[in-house]
Amino acid sequence: MEKQQRFRSFIVPILVIILSLGNYSRLKGTENIRPIHIVSLLTIGMGIGLLLGSIIAYFRNNRKN
């Protein structure tokens, strides 16, 4: 069960990042910032933050064991 939790903690942020990057790359007119640009960039940033947090927690747990 713990392996599934670790697997999910990496997969969910990666999927969020991929979907957000796909959404952001399809937006037109990036010279004028619209609210959807801000939401997409915030989502990408949160996904990267979650992924980094999961990676750090993974290595900390491996160091203790």
Side-chain angles (χ1 to χ4, degrees), residues 11-65:
I11 295 300
V12 171
I14 290 172
L15 286 176
V16 168
I17 293 169
I18 290 171
L19 291 173
S20 299
L21 283 173
N23 181 37
Y24 185 73
S25 67
R26 292 186 310 141
L27 293 175
K28 294 183 181 179
T30 56
E31 63 275 351
N32 296 326
I33 297 177
R34 297 182 303 177
I36 190 66
H37 292 106
I38 295 170
V39 170
S40 294
L41 290 174
L42 284 173
T43 308
I44 293 168
M46 288 191 305
I48 291 171
L50 286 172
L51 183 62
L52 286 176
S54 297
I55 291 170
I56 290 169
Y58 176 76
F59 285 121
R60 281 187 182 169
N61 288 338
N62 279 346
R63 187 180 299 176
K64 289 180 183 178
N65 293 333

